[in-house]
């Protein structure tokens, strides 16, 4: 399965090409080509009307190439794609929504900082160093969305409030019951209820851990941003750059593991 970064880059490339076709320069090129083909099909004896089509196609190709290579345009489109893919408005909890917004803001500031770096090896190196940021943002969004769903899950709240009382009632009934068959059914019910309680406890502990991890990973994202601002030409291939890249990789891997654990405990909560 493609990573969020790869998916966004693929969609962004299509959006950049589409943007190139709708640029004013593109419209003028197409319009001028049509006018020349119909009004001046043979301005010279050796000229063929379809030469205008070739020139128009070359001009359109040049516009597309310049659009794709325009760093600011590409980054703006990727940023729009990120905001569409990881839309903070999907998160109902104000606190969690602010955390997603903060993550997107950090990413945008990093992009702006890289765009201001001189074109050449430094900018390319910084882009490579921060290549995993999109995956990091994606994991933050997934984590916030899962926490948001957990906070709004009334069934889980109800189960957490009732499971301990139900377990005590079953244990009390077992103490009073004399019939062996009924006692066996009660033991099975107690075992099932105990398993449910354990799963709910695991779920609650996992969600508390996830909340702490979300706060920690936002702090780490801010640290990477500050390190990026300090990076300069002397830091190309330096230990600072390696630390930034390793921090991004470690955060993505850590959040991947946590999301897997959340999925596992959520699936087994009943």
């Amino acid at each position: 399965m493609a990573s969020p970064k790869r998916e966004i880059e693929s969609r962004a490339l299509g959006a950049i090409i589409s943007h190139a076709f709708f640029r004013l320069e593109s419209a003028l090129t197409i319009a001028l080509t049509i006018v020349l083909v119909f009004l001046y099909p043979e301005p010279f004896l050796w000229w063929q009307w379809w030469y205008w089509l070739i020139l128009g196609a070359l001009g359109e190709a040049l516009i597309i190439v310049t659009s794709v290579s325009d760093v600011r345009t590409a980054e703006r489109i990727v940023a729009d794609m990120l905001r569409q893919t990881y839309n903070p408005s999907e998160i109902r909890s104000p606190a969690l929504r602010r955390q997603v917004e903060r993550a997107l803001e950090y990413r945008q500031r990093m992009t702006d900082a890289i765009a201001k770096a001189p074109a050449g090896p430094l900018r390319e190196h910084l882009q490579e160093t921060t290549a995993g940021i999109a995956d990091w943002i994606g994991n933050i969004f997934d984590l916030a969305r899962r926490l948001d769903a957990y906070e709004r899950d009334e069934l889980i709240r109800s189960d957490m409030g009732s499971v301990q009382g139900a377990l005590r009632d079953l244990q009390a009934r077992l103490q009073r019951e004399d019939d062996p068959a009924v006692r066996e059914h009660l033991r099975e019910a107690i075992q099932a209820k105990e398993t449910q309680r354990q799963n709910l406890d695991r779920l609650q502990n996992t969600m508390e851990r996830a909340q702490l991890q979300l706060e920690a990973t936002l702090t780490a994202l801010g640290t990477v941003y500050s390190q990026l601002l300090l990076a300069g030409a002397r830091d190309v291939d330096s230990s600072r750059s390696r630390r930034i890249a390793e921090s991004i990789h470690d955060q993505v891997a850590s959040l991947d593991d946590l999301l897997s654990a959340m999925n596992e405990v959520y699936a087994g909560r009943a």
Side-chain angles (χ1 to χ4, degrees):
M1 181 181 294
S3 70
K5 174 178 176 290
R6 295 297 182 189
E7 293 178 4
I8 291 170
E9 286 178 346
S10 177
R11 290 169 53 200
L13 179 58
I16 291 170
I17 294 174
S18 176
H19 168 77
F21 277 115
F22 288 100
R23 285 175 57 178
L24 177 61
E25 297 91 333
S26 178
L28 291 175
T29 299
I30 294 172
L32 182 59
T33 300
I34 293 173
V35 169
L36 292 172
V37 165
F38 283 97
L39 298 184
Y40 302 99
E42 297 179 1
F44 312 105
L45 292 177
W46 51 270
W47 190 268
Q48 301 294 322
W49 67 269
W50 47 269
Y51 288 1
W52 293 122
L53 296 180
I54 294 176
L55 288 177
L58 290 174
E60 194 67 23
L62 182 61
I63 291 171
I64 293 174
V65 169
T66 56
S67 295
V68 172
S69 60
D70 184 348
V71 174
R72 291 191 178 276
T73 298
E75 289 296 347
R76 178 177 57 79
I77 290 175
V78 170
D80 290 342
M81 288 287 181
L82 274 171
R83 187 162 286 275
Q84 291 172 15
T85 303
Y86 310 127
N87 188 353
S89 65
E90 295 181 16
I91 309 296
R92 295 189 185 180
S93 165
L96 292 170
R97 186 165 58 247
R98 283 194 298 270
Q99 289 176 309
V100 173
E101 288 277 8
R102 185 177 167 195
L104 289 168
E105 178 65 20
Y106 274 132
R107 193 267 172 193
Q108 183 59 53
R109 287 176 180 263
M110 289 182 199
T111 298
D112 293 341
I114 292 172
K116 292 176 182 177
L122 175 58
R123 182 187 291 173
E124 292 174 3
H125 179 72
L126 292 176
Q127 288 172 333
E128 292 173 1
T129 300
T130 59
I133 291 294
D135 292 331
W136 192 351
I137 299 297
N139 280 347
I140 288 173
F141 179 76
D142 288 342
L143 189 57
R145 186 167 55 180
R146 176 52 62 87
L147 283 166
D148 187 54
Y150 170 73
E151 290 180 1
R152 294 184 290 104
D153 196 324
E154 295 298 332
L155 182 59
I156 289 179
R157 290 280 176 267
S158 175
D159 286 346
M160 285 182 171
S162 64
V163 66
Q164 193 61 44
L167 189 57
R168 285 196 299 269
D169 290 344
L170 288 170
Q171 290 169 339
R173 287 180 60 190
L174 180 63
Q175 295 296 324
R176 297 192 302 268
E177 186 58 55
D178 295 328
D179 188 282
V182 175
R183 288 177 61 84
E184 182 62 27
H185 284 302
L186 284 170
R187 290 192 187 96
E188 292 175 357
I190 289 172
Q191 182 60 46
K193 193 61 69 174
E194 181 66 32
T195 299
Q196 183 187 22
R197 185 185 64 79
Q198 291 173 359
N199 286 336
L200 288 170
D201 287 344
R202 285 179 58 209
L203 178 61
Q204 184 175 18
N205 292 337
T206 300
M207 291 302 170
E208 289 175 356
R209 174 185 161 209
Q211 182 60 67
L212 294 173
Q213 182 65 35
L214 181 57
E215 295 170 1
T217 199
L218 282 171
T219 300
L221 192 58
T223 301
V224 167
Y225 171 57
S226 63
Q227 290 174 335
L228 185 66
L229 293 180
L230 294 173
R234 68 183 184 280
D235 294 312
V236 174
D237 295 328
S238 71
S239 59
R240 185 199 299 276
S241 295
R242 287 194 296 274
R243 285 197 301 272
I244 293 175
E246 288 170 0
S247 177
I248 293 171
H249 177 271
D250 291 346
Q251 287 292 330
V252 172
S254 176
L255 291 178
D256 275 338
D257 291 342
L258 179 55
L259 286 166
S260 296
M262 291 171 72
N263 290 335
E264 180 182 347
V265 73
Y266 227 97
R269 73 181 189 271

